[in-house]
Each structure stands twice: as structure tokens, then as C-alpha cells.
Amino acid sequence: MDKWPSSNRYSLKAALMINYNPVIPSLCLPFLDLLIEIMSIKEKWLSAWCIKPVGGALVRQEPEYILLALMGSPLKKIMLCSSEKEIFNVEEQVMVQHSVIINNMIEDGSYNHEESKIPLDCVDSKTLKKVIDYCTHHTHHQNDNQEDLEAWDAQFLNVDSNGLYDLLMAANYLEIRNLLDLIYGTIKNMIKGKKIDEIRRIFNIKDHGFTSEEEEQNRKEYPHFY
Amino acid sequence: MDSPCDSVIGDRDLLTEILLRLPVKQVIQCKCVCKKWSSLISNTKFPYSHTCRLYHKYNNNPPPTALLVQNFADTKAQRASIVPLHANDNNDNKMFFHLDLDGCNYRSSIMHSCNGLLLWNVIPTSQPGPTSEDSRACHFRIHNPAMSDDHCVYLDYPVGDVDSPYGDDIFEPFELKAYLVFEPLKQPLSYKVILFGQMDPSVIYYRRRVEFKVLNPRIEIRLYSSETCGWSEVICNLPDGLRVTEGVYCNAAIHWFRLDHDNSLYFDTNRLCFDKLLAVPSVDDSCVKYFGECRGRLHLILSDTLEFDIWELEEDYSSWVARYRVNLNRMHDGESALWWNVSSNPFSVLSFVHRQEEEEENSMLVLFKDGKIMSYSLEDYGLRVLCKVYRDEVPRSIHQYFETLLCVGNS
């Protein structure tokens, strides 16, 4: 065992208590917060402790995790359940940053971390995985430069059109603003510069619903578009 | 079970979101794709949402996509030429509508283009026969050329002042300038038309061909408001010696530059009064090449050589700021540099289009020389021919235009 800083007697006692007594899991983090507040512990002393909450107990770990823990449990995970009943574990911070719906759910307290899963019945596993992929990448790489992010986005959207529409509906349901804008931009480029027959084909419109007079009128008025 | 594509297209909200992000031309194309899309676009809220989004993107001042050019001298051709400003190789930006107004019975001219709507002055050339549908006297038309003509507003000329000592019962000015005031972001949609009529000629000829210059011609200002659906006369502080000449409309005010030697003034359409406009220091008449407006700012171009100075008036009208210095000697046509071995400037400036740094396209000058309308980019000095007019005179009537989905007429 490393040498504990002697000036922090209270902290030492607390640390011993934590390590040797069974403590109710939900009290661990607040307890740590309280310690920090009372003692104004500096970074290097934290590194001496290297304590991290794992599964309810406090365990020695790397200093970065302590600091991260102090900033608000980013490694807390939530469970998302696809329409095919497959469960995905995702970092809470990642989903909260991107999805307005999930953010609201967590904020109003209706989600219990230990037990709840968020059911997403209208999103299938394949699409959900892709959405999680997008959110995770954008959270972890948010400080990358613009070109790299755009290149990754372009690669990400390199899917067939059915996959694209599935993504659109999922992003719409979860209210992920930047993914939505990205997909709408892609669809806009799909329409740009195309003739009307091609647009009908792209969107699988078999019956345009115009009478033959209306169709002829349109063709006469806007020959460019056909 | 619906395919994902059908689910997306079938969802009204998702489809609306997709269509809201398209440029106007594509939206009009989508109107022709299928009946469902057409009814969604024709829904009264859609054009307004689309316009709000577009204006928001450009900070309330969308850039023009085309110039409308009309030569008054050309009496045969009723058409105005539409000159797209961004001609791409694949002709993606070709204009998809024409500006034809009812053939031979009328002589029509574009008076003003404001936020996507056009104001036409329509004068019958001969007595219309009893069978012709549209047997109107002189009138104005307001319409959105990108949408079909069903939404056209017809405005008869205002009646003359029957009680006036001059005995006008018909409004027949010698010089007429008309402006359309249309602010699309205000709901409900409304518009105003302002007429400036010079009721006396500028010059009177006497018997022995002696010219008498009318010093203070009688000016009448009429206002039509869509809210009251009627014309009214505007009484205000008319400056002395005002003549009705081509003015520049910007931010709900009409500006005239150097009406007489050192007076620039403007007419505010909200307060309905005249005000003085700040003069540019030390300006010589001969070197004013262009006075116009782009995206809510007034610009003035001065030069007497191939070097241009472009000045911009601040938003609060407090001062003129020198924005660019353009040297037309630095010019290339995409392949090789172009040289002009004339010392005086052979170019006429038709328009100055200002783009912000974030936008893809560059700021450009639209120039005219030898029957060709060309655009000169201020970033890369490239000169590109936009259109050939085949006339040597500088086109007089130029209007900036961009498409909109809004219409003011009743459907």
C-alpha cells in the first residue's frame, strides 16, 4: 500500500472505512464528492488514492477516472432495447448529448439506472447500432477538425437507401438534430439535378395521382423538369 | 409492411422537412412529382415556413439568383431576359420560367422586383376589341413569376385629382416610377405600391422652339396598401427641384443619388417622408459608375479608369465605407489572362452582388461590354459570359431577383 498523505487524517479514515466496510452502492459517489468538498483535495492526492466506483464498491483505479468521476459519472451506462429485443449498453453521456428524447427521460428522473431499459420499439437492431455508432464517434471525437468529421460522416452514410430511411426515422424518433440535418442533406443531394421521372423512381412513387390533363399541363409549363 | 422509403414519404412531417430544405426551384419541381406532394406544397403554411427558413439562413437578406434585364427601346420583344447569375456547366441553374405577359395588346415593363415578386406596368397599345378578356386600361400587375399566373394581382391606376386646379381626372404623369414594398416575413402577408408621378414635363417647347426648363415640376405621390385595398395620396415634405428618376429601393426606402449636384435623398415608405442621404466625400459626377443595392446595403462604385472603388453605406446611414478596390486589369477567362489596352473604362456596371465569406459563391460585379453581360468574380478575378444581348446600348432596366414561393394574389 502506498503512503497516504498525512495531513489528510479525515480522508484517510474515510478511505479506510470505504475500503473495509460494505457500503450501500448509491452512497459511494456522493460520499466521494463530500470528501472532496470538505478536504479540497488536490489532484496529486487523489492519485495517491486512485479509488473508483465499480459495481457499488470503491476500487483502486487510474487517476483520470477519478477526475472523470468527479465531473459527473460519464461511464454510467444506460440500456437501450431495440424492436428485436436486443439490448445495447451505451454510455449515458453519449446519448444524452445527442438525443433530446433520452436527455429528457434521464433528466426528469423516470429512468432508473439499475433496472430500466429504454424500449425503442420502432428501431431495429441494425439501425440502433448505427445510431449508437454515430453518437459515440461524435462525442469522443468532438474536438477533431471539421474535415475529418465530414469524411467520417460521408463514410457513415454510405448505406443503401433503405438503411438511410431507417436511420432517418430513428434519428427523428430520438430527436438527434445533427444526424437529422446530415441525412436531410444527403436526401437533398439525391434530388438535386434529377428529372421528375428519376425522382419518382428514387422515391418509389408508382402512381403520381395527377389526371392526364394535369400531367400534360405540368409538362407544358415546366418542360425543363422532365 | 411498408418499405422504409414508403414510411418516410408517407409521413407528412418527415416529407415536409425534406421539402423545406430544398431550394425554390427544386420545390416547384417537386410540385409536379405527384399529387400528394403538390397538395403539401400548396398548403398555405408551407411557402411561409420555407421562406422563413431561407431568410434565416441568409440573415434576412438572401442573395439574388438572377438579373432581369429589359430594354425599353425594344418594342417588339415583350420578354424580359432572365440572366442567371450562377451559370453552371450542367445548366443546373437555368431559369425554369419565362417572363411573358399577354402578347400584343399590351406593352408591359417591369417596374420593380422586390423579394421575389415583380411589379409590372401594363399599358394597352391599341383599343382592345370587345371579345378580348382582359380589356383593361393601364394597370399594374404583381405576381410571382416562379408560380403559375393564377396568383396575379391586378391594380388599376389611381384616379386623378378631380378637385385639382389642373383638372386631372385621369392619372397620367409624364414620368412614372413605381415601387413595390413587400416584406415577406410579416404575417399576414401585405404589400404596398408607391408611385411617383411627375405631372409636368421636364422641358416645355414654345412656338419658336424655345426650350423652357421646368424648374419645379409638380410631383404626386400615391400609395396603395393591400390592407386598405385602395389608393391614397401622400402629402409630405417634397424637396425643391425633385425630379422623378430611377431610384434604388433598399430596406423599405427609395434612394436617389445626387439628384442635383450635392443632394442625395431618400423616401422612407414607413414614415412617408423625405430625408437627406449622406454624401460621399469629394465625388465627381463623371466617375459614378453605379449606385445600387444588394442584400439590404447600398453600394456606390466610383472609377474613371480600370480601377474601381466600391463603397458601402452603413446600416444606420451614418457613413460610407470603402469596401473593395477592384482592378479590372487582373482578369482572366478561365484559361488565359485578359488585357485591355484602353485607358478609359470600356465596361458598364450593371450590378454588384455581395456574398459573405461563409457562402460558397464569390462576390461579383456584373459588367456589360459589346453586347455581352459578364460576371467578374472579386475573389479569383475570373470573367464569365452570362448572356449575349446583341445590342450595343447599355441595358437600362436591371432588376435583381431571387425566387420565392410566396404569392400575394388570391388563388
Side-chain angles (χ1 to χ4, degrees), chain B residues 9 16 77 86 112 114 129 158 207 214 216 235 281 283 290 311 313 375:
Chain B
I9 305 296
T16 304
H86 303 289
H112 190 217
C114 179
R207 263 174 303 156
V214 179
N216 281 326
I235 314 287
V283 159
Y290 170 79
W311 295 75
L313 186 63
S375 77

Side-chain angles (χ1 to χ4, degrees), chain A residues 44-63:
Chain A
K44 55 178 180 173
W45 294 341
L46 281 177
S47 66
W49 289 10
C50 300
I51 302 172
K52 179 206 160 192
V54 166
L58 289 179
V59 168
R60 275 190 75 170
Q61 253 298 350
E62 302 311 311

Side-chain angles (χ1 to χ4, degrees), chain B residues 33-69:
Chain B
V33 166
C34 80
K35 193 117 180 135
K36 195 159 171 257
W37 289 24
S38 171
S39 72
L40 197 137
I41 294 170
S42 311
N43 166 3
T44 41
K45 297 219 185 73
F46 186 88
Y48 181 69
S49 314
H50 187 275
T51 308
C52 284
R53 195 171 239 283
L54 184 73
Y55 275 59
H56 183 73
K57 180 176 166 190
Y58 289 111
N59 208 18
N60 282 350
N61 282 309
T65 57
L67 286 185
L68 305 178
V69 175

Side-chain angles (χ1 to χ4, degrees), chain B residues 27-206:
Chain B
V27 174
I28 297 185
Q29 184 178 25
C30 285
K31 260 187 102 161
C32 302
V33 166
C34 80
K35 193 117 180 135
K36 195 159 171 257
W37 289 24
S38 171
S39 72
L40 197 137
I41 294 170
S42 311
N43 166 3
T44 41
K45 297 219 185 73
F46 186 88
Y48 181 69
S49 314
H50 187 275
T51 308
C52 284
R53 195 171 239 283
L54 184 73
Y55 275 59
H56 183 73
K57 180 176 166 190
Y58 289 111
N59 208 18
N60 282 350
N61 282 309
T65 57
L67 286 185
L68 305 178
V69 175
Q70 191 171 32
N71 272 327
F72 288 128
D74 204 337
T75 50
K76 266 198 228 157
Q78 293 298 317
R79 279 185 181 195
S81 309
I82 308 171
V83 181
L85 287 175
H86 303 289
N88 288 332
D89 287 339
N90 58 356
N91 269 332
D92 197 32
N93 280 317
K94 227 186 187 157
M95 297 317 257
F96 54 95
F97 55 85
H98 303 296
L99 290 177
D100 262 329
L101 273 204
D102 314 305
C104 43
N105 281 334
Y106 296 96
R107 200 178 73 229
S108 47
S109 52
I110 300 178
M111 300 247 77
H112 190 217
S113 152
C114 179
N115 284 326
L117 293 185
L118 297 185
L119 177 69
W120 294 81
N121 187 15
V122 184
I123 302 175
T125 48
S126 52
Q127 285 297 95
T131 54
S132 65
E133 259 179 32
D134 230 346
S135 50
R136 284 169 176 261
C138 299
H139 62 279
F140 294 107
R141 281 196 213 179
I142 302 174
H143 80 132
N144 180 345
M147 308 292 274
S148 66
D149 272 334
D150 297 339
H151 301 271
C152 196
V153 172
Y154 293 83
L155 279 186
D156 286 321
Y157 269 32
V159 289
D161 198 353
V162 183
D163 298 327
S164 91
Y166 307 100
D168 323 308
D169 49 356
I170 311 173
F171 185 73
E172 265 182 338
F174 282 90
E175 293 283 347
L176 174 67
K177 295 286 176 244
Y179 300 93
L180 175 66
V181 181
F182 174 56
E183 303 293 320
L185 297 183
K186 280 203 292 210
Q187 278 281 36
L189 282 185
S190 67
Y191 58 91
K192 290 191 270 205
V193 178
I194 305 222
L195 301 185
F196 293 89
Q198 186 172 310
M199 310 308 281
D200 294 328
S202 300
V203 197
I204 299 180
Y205 294 94
Y206 282 99

Side-chain angles (χ1 to χ4, degrees), chain A residues 162 165-166 168-169 172 181 184 188 193-194 196 200 203 205 208-210 214 221-222 224-226, chain B residues 4-5 7-9 14 17-18 21-22 25 29 31-35 37 92 94-96 146 148:
Chain A
N162 279 340
Y165 296 123
D166 281 329
L168 177 59
M169 288 192 285
N172 183 47
D181 285 339
Y184 283 133
K188 174 174 151 186
K194 301 277 192 313
I196 289 193
R200 285 175 181 160
F203 291 105
I205 297 172
H208 54 69
F210 289 125
E214 285 170 337
E221 216 175 317
Y222 304 113
H224 270 335
F225 292 152
Y226 286 88
Chain B
C5 177
S7 307
V8 166
I9 305 296
L14 286 179
E17 284 295 317
I18 294 174
R21 285 164 164 80
L22 299 176
K25 180 186 171 196
Q29 184 178 25
K31 260 187 102 161
C32 302
V33 166
C34 80
K35 193 117 180 135
W37 289 24
D92 197 32
K94 227 186 187 157
M95 297 317 257
F96 54 95
S148 66

